[in-house]
Amino acid sequence: MVILLAVEDSLASLFGIFVLINLFFSHNNDTNIFYSTKFIHSLVRPYELSPIEIKKSPHFPLPFKKSKGKKKFGSMEGPRAVFRGPKFLDALVDDFSEKLKSFLREKVVSVFGVRDEFNKLQDKMKYIKSMLTDAKRRKMDDSVTRTWIDELIDVMHDADDIIDDFRSQFEKESEDGASSSLVNQVASKLNPKSWYSAICSRFVINDRIIELNKKIDEINKNRQTFSVDMNQFQSSINSPQTSSIIDSDIVGWEIQRNTRKLIEIIARNQDQRKLCLVAIIGMGGIGKTTLAQNIFHDPLIRNTFPERVWVSVSKEYSAIEVLQSIINEMNSNTGEARTISELHEQLSRKIKGKRFFLVLDDVWQSMVWTDFLKRPLQFAASGVILLTTRDKTVASGVGAIYVHEVEKLSKRSCWELLCKKAYIEKEEDMLNLRDVGMRIVKKCDGLPLATKVIGCLLATKNKDRREWEKVLQSSAWFNNEICEELPRALLISFKDLAPPLQDCFLYCSLCAEDSVISRSDIVRECIAEGIIQQREDELLEDTAEEYYNELIRRGLLQPVRYYYIKQENSVRCRMHDIVRTFAHYIARGCNHYGNPASLSLDCVRKLHRLSISCQGDVAIIPGNKSDALRLKTLVFSCPYPLTVQDEIFHRIKSVRVLVLNGRGIEKIPDSIGDLKHLRLLDLDHTSISMLPNSLCSLNHLQTLHLQNCQSLQVLPQGITRLRNLRCLGLGETPLISVPKGIGRLKFLNELKGFIVAREQRSGDMQSGWQLDELENLTQLRCLWLDKLENAAIQSSALAGKCNLKTLQLACTLPVGGSGQLPGEDDCRNIEETFDKLEPPQCLEYLFLLRFFGRRFPSWLENLSFLTYLILESCISCLYLPPLGQLQHLKCLRIIGARSIVSIGPEFMGTVISGRSNLRPCFPKLEFLRIEEMPNWEEWSFIDQVPEKFFPSLLQIDIVYCPKLKALPDQLKHISSLEELYLSGLQGISKIENLTAHFEWIHIRNSSCEKLSNIPGVQHLSLVGCSALRCVENLDALQSLYLEDETVDHLPEWLPGFLNQHHNNDDMKLNFLCNMTVLQRCLLGGPDWHIIEKFSYIRAFTKDNTAFIEYQKQPYSYHTNL
């Protein structure tokens, strides 16, 4: 390299001459430039360099060739060479290479070999990927194997960086050549630093590729030397076999309730169908098998079905073995039958004309039923097939008539199970350990598997608080000794995932404990890390969403209700602590969550993902500025002021995902521009006031999140040069100055916070964008438009957006006095603007915020694929739009429509041209919430065909509508309702005659005086209902929750209700009250005669300082009073 530096200046001048000549002629592709070798010799003589024999490169066009044309430049004699522009610089380097010292010659020759080495590297990457894919599925317990695999993973990351740099360099050279003018190209080529920098970049990249290829060869030799034989590894865990014997650890009322529920469904359907399939689904270890065992041994099942068979199928099942097991369970010998055909025939004869009950436990594939069992079992007189599975698609694949998802255990049941496994039997021990035990139970989050394992651990400890506190506070929750026993069921599910899904699952474990994970965040971050595999004709985002949904189906992520809708494709989820611990264990050494100061420098150097929970005012990662890190993902989340030191950015040159969240982050250093591999930068919820211009040089950046940055007002001008940007989030950030040209970001498929400007300004910066700048953004899937009151009325900016799924349209309400509505002109203008903004029919999610027209847009009722609709703060609208015929609408929220007085048949979409429309209204609506409508008084449907209304509705919420006089009578015909939430309805005096089988009814802060004739409700919650005088005819009620600190006695209606209720032995009461009422409920107190009628009661004060807990059977009574 010293030699190269010595000749830099002189060689640069020589190269500059040739570059100038070449560029001058290269713009005419048909022009060849002829140079006499004497002329070339005269140029190079002062530098003691001479022309060399021209060699043809296998990768580049021949840079020189003899000319048969006439002599050019008059005085030049001798042979001539032909130069062509595109590869001119490389050709000159090759031409003079042999006269440089051997070091320089090797470098230049290697430049022409870059593509060979690159191809070798790509081939080896395929080999490594196949080995890693196999290795992840196999045993990795011994340290030699683990070290070898870690080396492979490190090589993969190094290769990823090199490939990135290789492509970036050639893309940069191509882009510079294509975009620069002739003058600029000449100036650039005459600049020694410019061409020298390009050459050196190639040298460095090539060296890294060659070195990496050598390293791969060395790793392969190590595999052979240390006998790491991939073919000898066997899976360390097999699917456990189950049996029909009932688990002795069954606790809690949940399983008894679910057992009765499923038996009722089986009894109701088994006479109507020849073969009745019922499925139990849930994640591994949650209790599917236990529930199936309970049903299998129920007396009704035993008496109804003379043939009962239990078969554990497992993942690696054999069709022959399953058939043999069924026949053997029926006390029959399979004889000489060995083939599937012979066993089918034998089973058909055995089952013919009989009634049977078959449990298929732990089914992983639907074909075990569809391909091997369905045909022979059709010969039975009737039969019930109960299967358990972790995969909801299996349940649908077999055609189950009912799918039951196992819920988590209640805290009370978990406590009971924990005591059982920890052998806590004495009442004194239970009282002493209860509070710390309940905190342990909370960590187990209702999972029987987790509760059992922790209970077994506690059984090895002394029965005192100090020992239990150690377990609660100990790092054992994240320790291998816990994980080795806990993940057994989880590991089976994990090993069944494809490698990209495994990586996606492990990535999710970077979240904070018990935090809500956004689907959008996981999708974007996994794409940025390179986890998502590109499929033909499919967006990466669609593939990533499939990964996310699959993890939810597998039970490894727990969906969180989105606007109260239960669905497997939830946009938010959680990772249970135990599952998260399992993921940490699997990804140990690669992923870390917490404070990295506790790690050694060697451990930090090996990390690929780091999520830091800040513990000070400075973010510190062990090591100094020269200690480079391998991190691909770095996450900071900090609620208080935090300084992110520049040296951190110098150490993470390979990072792909950088998340800096929290109000404490106030500044981003200029060195962020050095992170050339960065794909995702998340600065949401920070206090940054400006962005460094260096950010605009991140050519690979795909996602930039700047949402809810309350101090940020200006975007850098160069942000529109980020041509690979796929997602730009600006929502709720008060920007006042943005650059022109957002339409140049043609790969954008998510744009949140597009600020609409009233008029175009001169210059490069403006207060917002014109809607016509959206025209070129044809890939948009999600779009948020803000300040639409500024839009030109003629705009139709959403035309042609055939991929658009999510749309938010928001206005800024006109400034006026308190409660003042917008004027006539304002209303008319915004109505016309919205009418022009007709979205495509493919839209699924629509949010209308602060729309102040008096009528809703006419296109609203035509969005036939709309699933979610939110109408918020539409303050001037007098009537709701006719939405009843939106065939796919699942969720509807109406908030703050303060001008609406009445909701009638027009809302249902049932009156068309004076005739009644007989199609069902809201056929798929599951959730309806109407909130903050202070002037709403009446709600009515038409009386015709009431069964056509809301056939799928599960929940209705009515919140703060104080003038509403009554619920519509037609609600009693909605049989699908499961939950009713009523709060702040001072105008309603009675609620009665509801026939649906409600799981819950919640009534809060109501003036209701009578609650009557709701025979199907199971759980009732009454909060602040002191006006209530009569509660009757709630025949199915199982539990009651009361909350009222303002009264000094039990509700007056409670004794009469208990006297007329027939099932007090199954009735539970939870009661939050003041100390006066609590003392009245003590054993022997004035109200004890009422309390003792419940099967279970827990009464407590708001701060939980005092409580009473009573259970009738088996008897127990506890209090701290």
Side-chain angles (χ1 to χ4, degrees), residues 7 18 27 42 106 133 187 191 234 347 351 450 567-568 644 666 940 1009 1021 1063 1072:
V7 299
F18 283 98
H27 283 268
S42 68
E106 291 172 4
T133 298
N191 183 350
Q234 297 297 326
L347 180 58
I351 206 76
Q567 57 166 3
E568 63 177 23
V644 182
E666 299 176 344
S940 64
E1009 299 177 0
S1021 171
N1063 296 313
L1072 189 155

Side-chain angles (χ1 to χ4, degrees), residues 563 847-851 856 870-875 893-897:
Y563 295 116
F847 305 85
L848 257 60
L849 310 182
R850 300 179 295 278
F851 171 71
F856 283 97
I870 313 299
L871 306 175
E872 182 172 344
S873 298
C874 300
I875 60 174
R893 294 187 67 191
I894 304 166
I895 307 168

